[in-house]
Every structure is written in structure tokens, then in C-alpha cells.
Amino acid sequence: MGETVRYTFRLRPGATAEAALLAEWGRCRWLWNEAVHQQRSGRGPTFCRLSKLLTEARARSSWLREGSQVAQQQMLRTYALALQHSFKVKGRGRPRPKRRKDTLASLEYTTRGFSIRSQRLRLPGGISIPVVWSRELPSDPTSVRIYQDCLGYWYASFVVRRETTPAPDVEGAIGIDWGVTTTATTTDAAYDLPYLGHRKRCAAELAKMQRRMARRRRVKGAPPSNGYLRAKRRAAKRAKRAARQNIHDARVWANKVVDNHATIAVEDFKPRFLARSRMARKAADAAIGAAKRELVDRGLRAGRRVVLVPPAFTTMTCSRCGTRAKHRLGLGVRVFRCDDCGYTACRNRNAAGTILATAERGRAGADDVRHAITSFRDGALVRSEPEIPRLPAMGKR
């Protein structure tokens, strides 16, 4: 049994190699923008048509011929896929032009366009880049993506095939409710994910760098000073460090949950709306989306039953008897009390129990993760990742 995954490594290109990568990115970015122009002018830029245009353009332009045809073809293939998704995926807009000042470099190569020799990554045009091999590749890579992050660091993401061992059989189920004060509240307090506040700890240092940027900002139209660029880079490093800490903590927590539970009921919470509230900064620091992503991905890869339950009315419903409260609970009310059975519990803990009860009382078995199950209250529908579509919440038909 195997799976296709990505292995990412840090690159350390020299000045010549970095200039060559940026020049190649400039050619690929031009091709992307030309494809966007073709689509906006109503010429129907399919991948075949774009490939023919690329062949004609390379015959006319020596500037394009200096670059790798593999990277240029892959850029057009990526554009065609993005255009196809814009028609099929809800909320996905049409591809837009890539501007030089706000778009990071990203190049893709297939096996015809790269090789690994003497522990170095070799690309067309005589480009040889040292790779920081933090681990061994499980198999020969089929493609590689070379990209640059916001700090200017370069990375290589290899697509490889690796063998996997089945996860050990475990018993037990857990319900998870997302929040801001506590990032993840579960039915078992031992598996809670507390709010760690990585961004809050570096807020003072980040504010210092931002004030320095404000003092050294020049008038509009003038090039930025070296002091401004240094302060901007330091501020970006602080923010990226906090983001990496959040992702690391989410992975450790997700592995702990997946290794000890066969059924994982997760609140299908969308934290996007929190960005428009007064809790936006703390919600971003909690990184709910990253934690949810890691949990669902690792649970499915381990073969666990992962069920996404709509969040509607989970806070108002008693996890013990299933009775729904007649009025909504304000955010200031942190203790849930059931008027029917007298059950009292933490607000988030009760919601986690309701989410778990919703998943357990359905008709889906542990081995049938593709079957939509019905809740014990008002026939609410939930879904299991990743096969079945998103279904309506409680009381909404």
C-alpha cells in the first residue's frame, strides 16, 4: 500500500542560480498573463491551443527560447487546470494576471526537466543548486516545484511515492468543538488543544519592526531604502515564525488524536467570518483552520472515520438528552444548563459532546465513511470526508 506525497527541502542557490530562476519565472509569468489575455478576449485558450501558441512564440522570440520548454509547458498546464476549476469549483474565480511586485516565483518541472546528481538539483540551462537534504527520498521523484517564500528563501517540493503501513486498530470516539479561548475543546479534556498565543508573544517585537518601517517609509513613487527593506524582512520573519509554530503544534496534536481514536467527529467550522470581528487577531493566532486541516488530513490518511458536523445549534443542544434550548446562548454564557434533564457542563464541552452524538447516532458504519448520516435531532445531515458533498445544517433544508 502506497501514497503519493510531497517532500519539501530548502534550497541554497547562489547569485547566478537565483538570477537564472528569476529570469525563468519572468518568462513563465509572461506566458500566464498572455493566457489570461487570451481568455478575456474570448479566444477560448485550451491547453492545446496554448501549446501551439507557445511553439510559435518560441520560434519567433529568442528570449523565450533561452528558457526551459518544460517549465513553460507546465505553467500553461497549470493555467488550463485553474481555468477548468473556475467553472467547476464553487467560489473559484477566473485566473488573474500575475503582477511582478506581489507574486512569488513558482516553477514546475517534470522528469524531463530536472535531475539529482551529487546531492544537487540540476535544472535546464546549466543551473545547479545545493539542496539541504533533511531526510531521504523514499523513491525517485516524478516532478518538482521550485518556489520562493515571502522571505526570499527557495524551496524544492518533490512528488514521490512512498509505502505506508496500516494504522493500528484502535477503539473509541472523540468530538471536537473549535473556539478562540481554547482552540479545540474535545469530549476528553486530555486531548484539548489550548490557545498557545505564539503571535501574541512576538507582538511587541513585531510592533517595533512595524514602527521602524513607518519611520523609514518614503514618499509614494520613490524606491524604498535599505533600512525599510531590512525592517520589513525582520517583521516578516517574526510573523512566519509564529505561523510555523502554530502548524507544528497542530500536527503534534492531530497525531495524538488520530493515534488513539477510531471515530473523529469534527465541527465543520469556517473561521473566515472571524476576520471581520473584534476577535480577528486572536482568532488568527489560534489558527483554527490549520488545526482542522491537519486533523482531517491525518485522520483520512490513517483510515479513521472522520465526520464533519455542521456547527448550527450544537451549542444550544444538550449532549445528554438531545433537547434544544429555546433561546440562543450569548458568548458571555460559558456554562450550559439543560432545562429538561438538568445537565450542566462547560459550553464548549457540551458542544463537543453534541457533535460526537450527532456522528455516533447516524446510520453509517465505521467502514462506510462515504455515507451521509442523520443526526438525532431534527434530521440534520452531516458529511464524511472527502467523498460526499457538503450538506445543509440543522433545521435548514
Side-chain angles (χ1 to χ4, degrees):
M1 182 178 179
E3 60 178 354
T4 302
V5 294
R6 283 188 176 272
Y7 275 44
T8 303
F9 303 91
R10 174 81 180 273
L11 298 179
R12 298 191 183 277
T16 304
E18 184 172 8
L21 290 174
L22 292 177
E24 189 65 63
W25 165 241
R27 300 182 189 96
C28 293
R29 188 176 60 85
W30 181 85
L31 290 173
W32 177 283
N33 294 340
E34 183 64 23
V36 172
H37 173 71
Q38 295 282 332
Q39 191 271 332
R40 291 183 175 180
S41 59
R43 301 177 186 177
T46 62
F47 177 68
C48 294
R49 293 180 182 178
L50 292 175
S51 298
K52 293 180 180 179
L53 292 176
L54 174 61
T55 303
E56 297 173 0
R58 286 178 62 89
R60 295 192 307 265
S61 173
S62 60
W63 174 67
L64 281 178
R65 287 198 303 271
E66 292 176 358
S68 169
Q69 186 176 6
V70 175
Q72 296 169 12
Q73 285 280 0
Q74 287 299 114
M75 178 59 69
L76 296 181
R77 191 182 300 276
T78 303
Y79 173 82
L81 185 61
L83 183 62
Q84 181 182 2
H85 287 172
S86 68
F87 291 103
K88 296 182 178 180
V89 180
K90 183 179 179 181
R92 189 75 61 86
R94 301 289 185 270
R96 295 180 294 179
K98 294 181 180 293
R99 301 192 300 175
R100 180 180 179 181
K101 65 179 182 180
D102 56 5
T103 306
L104 298 174
S106 178
L107 304 170
E108 291 195 23
Y109 297 88
T110 58
T111 51
R112 295 190 302 113
F114 77 97
S115 62
I116 300 176
R117 301 176 187 173
S118 302
Q119 302 298 315
R120 297 170 70 95
L121 177 64
R122 299 184 181 271
L123 301 175
I127 304 175
S128 179
I129 307 175
V131 183
V132 181
W133 297 104
S134 56
R135 52 180 173 172
E136 294 184 0
L137 292 175
S139 63
D140 294 334
T142 57
S143 65
V144 64
R145 176 184 300 163
I146 311 297
Y147 66 93
Q148 188 181 28
D149 67 356
C150 61
L151 299 178
Y153 300 145
W154 290 89
Y155 296 89
S157 179
F158 296 95
V159 177
V160 295
R161 185 77 177 175
R162 70 178 180 186
E163 298 297 326
T164 58
T165 56
D169 294 335
V170 295
E171 297 181 356
I174 190 172
I176 300 173
D177 177 75
W178 305 108
V180 176
T181 305
T182 301
T183 303
T185 303
T186 65
T187 50
D188 186 353
Y191 294 94
D192 287 355
L193 177 62
Y195 168 73
L196 300 173
H198 294 303
R199 286 187 175 94
K200 185 177 180 180
R201 283 200 299 272
C202 66
E205 192 173 359
L206 182 60
K208 180 180 178 180
M209 294 298 107
Q210 291 173 344
R211 288 194 298 268
R212 185 173 299 176
M213 289 171 56
R215 289 195 301 267
R216 300 180 179 182
R217 185 184 298 274
R218 296 193 177 184
V219 296
K220 187 176 182 180
S225 64
N226 292 332
Y228 174 83
L229 294 178
R230 284 196 300 268
K232 182 179 179 180
R233 181 181 179 84
R234 289 177 182 175
K237 288 182 69 173
R238 300 300 180 274
K240 196 170 186 66
R241 180 187 301 174
R244 287 173 173 172
Q245 288 174 333
N246 281 330
I247 293 176
H248 171 75
D249 293 335
R251 288 175 178 173
V252 173
W253 171 77
N255 284 332
K256 180 180 176 182
V257 172
V258 170
D259 291 343
N260 296 279
H261 300 90
T263 300
I264 305 173
V266 186
E267 180 187 11
D268 196 8
F269 180 67
K270 304 295 185 301
R272 184 180 304 174
F273 77 95
L274 290 175
R276 300 187 296 270
S277 67
R278 60 184 178 85
M279 298 185 296
R281 180 174 298 180
K282 191 170 184 178
D285 196 358
I288 299 174
K292 177 185 172 184
R293 223 171 16 248
E294 291 291 339
L295 179 64
V296 172
D297 178 66
R298 294 177 184 274
L300 293 175
R301 285 167 55 185
R304 308 306 188 196
R305 179 170 175 259
V306 181
V307 182
L308 298 185
V309 180
F313 305 109
T314 54
T315 306
M316 301 169 55
T317 306
C318 179
S319 60
R320 175 172 295 180
C321 65
T323 302
R324 181 185 300 174
K326 297 181 180 179
H327 57 278
R328 294 184 178 274
L329 300 179
L331 292 177
V333 181
R334 307 311 303 172
V335 177
F336 174 84
R337 293 182 178 85
C338 179
D339 296 333
D340 193 10
C341 67
Y343 175 69
T344 302
C346 171
R347 170 199 181 104
N348 294 338
R349 195 83 60 193
N350 174 75
T354 303
I355 292 169
L356 178 59
T358 302
E360 285 185 334
R361 300 195 184 188
R363 293 180 286 107
D367 298 328
D368 186 13
V369 298
R370 293 180 295 179
H371 189 53
I373 64 175
T374 305
S375 173
F376 63 92
R377 186 77 177 173
D378 291 342
L381 297 176
V382 298
R383 68 187 179 99
S384 297
E385 283 282 349
E387 293 84 355
I388 67 174
R390 191 174 300 276
L391 300 173
M394 290 186 181
K396 296 182 180 181
R397 297 289 183 181

mmCIF file of all heavy atoms in Angstrom, residues 31 48-61 64-65 69 72-73 76:
data_model
loop_
_atom_site.group_PDB
_atom_site.id
_atom_site.type_symbol
_atom_site.label_atom_id
_atom_site.label_comp_id
_atom_site.label_asym_id
_atom_site.label_seq_id
_atom_site.Cartn_x
_atom_site.Cartn_y
_atom_site.Cartn_z
ATOM 1 N N LEU A 31 3.927 34.163 -19.915
ATOM 2 C CA LEU A 31 3.035 33.209 -20.573
ATOM 3 C C LEU A 31 1.692 33.123 -19.852
ATOM 4 O O LEU A 31 0.631 33.041 -20.502
ATOM 5 C CB LEU A 31 3.696 31.834 -20.611
ATOM 6 C CG LEU A 31 4.895 31.686 -21.551
ATOM 7 C CD1 LEU A 31 5.548 30.330 -21.358
ATOM 8 C CD2 LEU A 31 4.461 31.864 -22.999
ATOM 9 N N CYS A 48 -4.318 22.793 -25.575
ATOM 10 C CA CYS A 48 -3.761 22.505 -26.909
ATOM 11 C C CYS A 48 -3.482 23.794 -27.674
ATOM 12 O O CYS A 48 -2.430 23.937 -28.311
ATOM 13 C CB CYS A 48 -4.727 21.617 -27.684
ATOM 14 S SG CYS A 48 -4.928 19.958 -26.995
ATOM 15 N N ARG A 49 -4.422 24.736 -27.611
ATOM 16 C CA ARG A 49 -4.217 25.998 -28.323
ATOM 17 C C ARG A 49 -3.054 26.779 -27.718
ATOM 18 O O ARG A 49 -2.247 27.375 -28.439
ATOM 19 C CB ARG A 49 -5.488 26.834 -28.271
ATOM 20 C CG ARG A 49 -6.650 26.228 -29.057
ATOM 21 C CD ARG A 49 -7.883 27.109 -28.961
ATOM 22 N NE ARG A 49 -9.013 26.508 -29.673
ATOM 23 C CZ ARG A 49 -10.235 27.049 -29.721
ATOM 24 N NH1 ARG A 49 -10.464 28.203 -29.094
ATOM 25 N NH2 ARG A 49 -11.198 26.448 -30.382
ATOM 26 N N LEU A 50 -2.967 26.780 -26.398
ATOM 27 C CA LEU A 50 -1.874 27.482 -25.762
ATOM 28 C C LEU A 50 -0.529 26.837 -26.090
ATOM 29 O O LEU A 50 0.476 27.542 -26.257
ATOM 30 C CB LEU A 50 -2.085 27.512 -24.248
ATOM 31 C CG LEU A 50 -3.247 28.366 -23.744
ATOM 32 C CD1 LEU A 50 -3.410 28.213 -22.240
ATOM 33 C CD2 LEU A 50 -3.046 29.832 -24.103
ATOM 34 N N SER A 51 -0.498 25.523 -26.207
ATOM 35 C CA SER A 51 0.752 24.846 -26.554
ATOM 36 C C SER A 51 1.202 25.212 -27.965
ATOM 37 O O SER A 51 2.398 25.418 -28.222
ATOM 38 C CB SER A 51 0.580 23.331 -26.433
ATOM 39 O OG SER A 51 0.274 22.960 -25.107
ATOM 40 N N LYS A 52 0.250 25.322 -28.904
ATOM 41 C CA LYS A 52 0.596 25.734 -30.262
ATOM 42 C C LYS A 52 1.099 27.174 -30.284
ATOM 43 O O LYS A 52 2.075 27.494 -30.983
ATOM 44 C CB LYS A 52 -0.618 25.592 -31.176
ATOM 45 C CG LYS A 52 -1.059 24.154 -31.404
ATOM 46 C CD LYS A 52 -2.272 24.090 -32.316
ATOM 47 C CE LYS A 52 -2.714 22.646 -32.540
ATOM 48 N NZ LYS A 52 -3.931 22.581 -33.410
ATOM 49 N N LEU A 53 0.443 28.044 -29.507
ATOM 50 C CA LEU A 53 0.912 29.427 -29.436
ATOM 51 C C LEU A 53 2.308 29.512 -28.830
ATOM 52 O O LEU A 53 3.133 30.338 -29.241
ATOM 53 C CB LEU A 53 -0.077 30.267 -28.626
ATOM 54 C CG LEU A 53 -1.460 30.490 -29.253
ATOM 55 C CD1 LEU A 53 -2.360 31.259 -28.289
ATOM 56 C CD2 LEU A 53 -1.337 31.240 -30.574
ATOM 57 N N LEU A 54 2.597 28.660 -27.845
ATOM 58 C CA LEU A 54 3.925 28.657 -27.242
ATOM 59 C C LEU A 54 4.979 28.227 -28.257
ATOM 60 O O LEU A 54 6.072 28.818 -28.326
ATOM 61 C CB LEU A 54 3.941 27.723 -26.029
ATOM 62 C CG LEU A 54 5.302 27.507 -25.363
ATOM 63 C CD1 LEU A 54 5.864 28.832 -24.846
ATOM 64 C CD2 LEU A 54 5.193 26.498 -24.225
ATOM 65 N N THR A 55 4.664 27.209 -29.065
ATOM 66 C CA THR A 55 5.617 26.764 -30.086
ATOM 67 C C THR A 55 5.909 27.873 -31.090
ATOM 68 O O THR A 55 7.071 28.102 -31.469
ATOM 69 C CB THR A 55 5.058 25.526 -30.809
ATOM 70 O OG1 THR A 55 4.785 24.498 -29.849
ATOM 71 C CG2 THR A 55 6.058 25.012 -31.834
ATOM 72 N N GLU A 56 4.869 28.583 -31.508
ATOM 73 C CA GLU A 56 5.064 29.683 -32.448
ATOM 74 C C GLU A 56 5.844 30.825 -31.800
ATOM 75 O O GLU A 56 6.720 31.436 -32.437
ATOM 76 C CB GLU A 56 3.706 30.187 -32.942
ATOM 77 C CG GLU A 56 2.909 29.140 -33.724
ATOM 78 C CD GLU A 56 1.506 29.619 -34.049
ATOM 79 O OE1 GLU A 56 1.167 30.759 -33.660
ATOM 80 O OE2 GLU A 56 0.766 28.859 -34.705
ATOM 81 N N ALA A 57 5.545 31.117 -30.527
ATOM 82 C CA ALA A 57 6.238 32.210 -29.847
ATOM 83 C C ALA A 57 7.712 31.881 -29.640
ATOM 84 O O ALA A 57 8.573 32.765 -29.770
ATOM 85 C CB ALA A 57 5.563 32.511 -28.512
ATOM 86 N N ARG A 58 8.037 30.647 -29.311
ATOM 87 C CA ARG A 58 9.436 30.266 -29.124
ATOM 88 C C ARG A 58 10.201 30.313 -30.441
ATOM 89 O O ARG A 58 11.410 30.581 -30.459
ATOM 90 C CB ARG A 58 9.522 28.860 -28.524
ATOM 91 C CG ARG A 58 9.162 28.803 -27.054
ATOM 92 C CD ARG A 58 9.223 27.371 -26.543
ATOM 93 N NE ARG A 58 10.561 26.814 -26.641
ATOM 94 C CZ ARG A 58 11.498 26.906 -25.697
ATOM 95 N NH1 ARG A 58 11.231 27.562 -24.567
ATOM 96 N NH2 ARG A 58 12.686 26.362 -25.858
ATOM 97 N N ALA A 59 9.503 30.053 -31.563
ATOM 98 C CA ALA A 59 10.174 30.138 -32.860
ATOM 99 C C ALA A 59 10.501 31.587 -33.230
ATOM 100 O O ALA A 59 11.498 31.847 -33.920
ATOM 101 C CB ALA A 59 9.293 29.510 -33.938
ATOM 102 N N ARG A 60 9.697 32.542 -32.734
ATOM 103 C CA ARG A 60 9.912 33.954 -33.066
ATOM 104 C C ARG A 60 10.820 34.662 -32.068
ATOM 105 O O ARG A 60 11.559 35.567 -32.445
ATOM 106 C CB ARG A 60 8.574 34.693 -33.127
ATOM 107 C CG ARG A 60 7.647 34.235 -34.237
ATOM 108 C CD ARG A 60 6.499 35.217 -34.380
ATOM 109 N NE ARG A 60 5.823 35.447 -33.109
ATOM 110 C CZ ARG A 60 4.725 34.786 -32.725
ATOM 111 N NH1 ARG A 60 4.205 33.865 -33.520
ATOM 112 N NH2 ARG A 60 4.154 35.039 -31.571
ATOM 113 N N SER A 61 10.754 34.262 -30.787
ATOM 114 C CA SER A 61 11.435 35.015 -29.732
ATOM 115 C C SER A 61 12.623 34.229 -29.183
ATOM 116 O O SER A 61 12.462 33.103 -28.673
ATOM 117 C CB SER A 61 10.441 35.332 -28.600
ATOM 118 O OG SER A 61 11.103 35.908 -27.509
ATOM 119 N N LEU A 64 12.303 33.709 -25.231
ATOM 120 C CA LEU A 64 11.598 32.529 -24.747
ATOM 121 C C LEU A 64 12.425 31.267 -24.956
ATOM 122 O O LEU A 64 12.387 30.346 -24.131
ATOM 123 C CB LEU A 64 10.244 32.397 -25.443
ATOM 124 C CG LEU A 64 9.103 33.280 -24.937
ATOM 125 C CD1 LEU A 64 7.861 33.058 -25.776
ATOM 126 C CD2 LEU A 64 8.808 33.002 -23.478
ATOM 127 N N ARG A 65 13.164 31.206 -26.050
ATOM 128 C CA ARG A 65 13.960 30.010 -26.335
ATOM 129 C C ARG A 65 15.088 29.829 -25.323
ATOM 130 O O ARG A 65 15.580 28.718 -25.122
ATOM 131 C CB ARG A 65 14.550 30.081 -27.746
ATOM 132 C CG ARG A 65 13.539 29.856 -28.844
ATOM 133 C CD ARG A 65 14.235 29.508 -30.151
ATOM 134 N NE ARG A 65 15.185 30.550 -30.552
ATOM 135 C CZ ARG A 65 14.877 31.607 -31.306
ATOM 136 N NH1 ARG A 65 13.624 31.768 -31.729
ATOM 137 N NH2 ARG A 65 15.806 32.486 -31.648
ATOM 138 N N GLN A 69 11.585 24.729 -21.958
ATOM 139 C CA GLN A 69 10.263 24.453 -22.513
ATOM 140 C C GLN A 69 9.420 23.643 -21.539
ATOM 141 O O GLN A 69 8.193 23.771 -21.515
ATOM 142 C CB GLN A 69 10.396 23.708 -23.834
ATOM 143 C CG GLN A 69 9.072 23.505 -24.565
ATOM 144 C CD GLN A 69 9.244 22.849 -25.907
ATOM 145 O OE1 GLN A 69 10.350 22.432 -26.253
ATOM 146 N NE2 GLN A 69 8.181 22.762 -26.672
ATOM 147 N N GLN A 72 7.815 26.061 -19.073
ATOM 148 C CA GLN A 72 6.809 26.868 -19.751
ATOM 149 C C GLN A 72 5.558 26.056 -20.067
ATOM 150 O O GLN A 72 4.434 26.538 -19.910
ATOM 151 C CB GLN A 72 7.411 27.471 -21.014
ATOM 152 C CG GLN A 72 8.551 28.441 -20.736
ATOM 153 C CD GLN A 72 9.313 28.843 -21.979
ATOM 154 O OE1 GLN A 72 8.875 28.572 -23.100
ATOM 155 N NE2 GLN A 72 10.463 29.488 -21.791
ATOM 156 N N GLN A 73 5.732 24.814 -20.490
ATOM 157 C CA GLN A 73 4.579 23.949 -20.729
ATOM 158 C C GLN A 73 3.816 23.673 -19.432
ATOM 159 O O GLN A 73 2.589 23.654 -19.413
ATOM 160 C CB GLN A 73 5.036 22.631 -21.360
ATOM 161 C CG GLN A 73 5.422 22.732 -22.818
ATOM 162 C CD GLN A 73 4.217 22.726 -23.748
ATOM 163 O OE1 GLN A 73 3.083 22.652 -23.295
ATOM 164 N NE2 GLN A 73 4.467 22.823 -25.037
ATOM 165 N N LEU A 76 1.575 26.595 -18.538
ATOM 166 C CA LEU A 76 0.337 26.596 -19.316
ATOM 167 C C LEU A 76 -0.613 25.498 -18.845
ATOM 168 O O LEU A 76 -1.833 25.682 -18.828
ATOM 169 C CB LEU A 76 0.655 26.423 -20.798
ATOM 170 C CG LEU A 76 1.464 27.542 -21.447
ATOM 171 C CD1 LEU A 76 1.681 27.253 -22.922
ATOM 172 C CD2 LEU A 76 0.776 28.885 -21.259
#
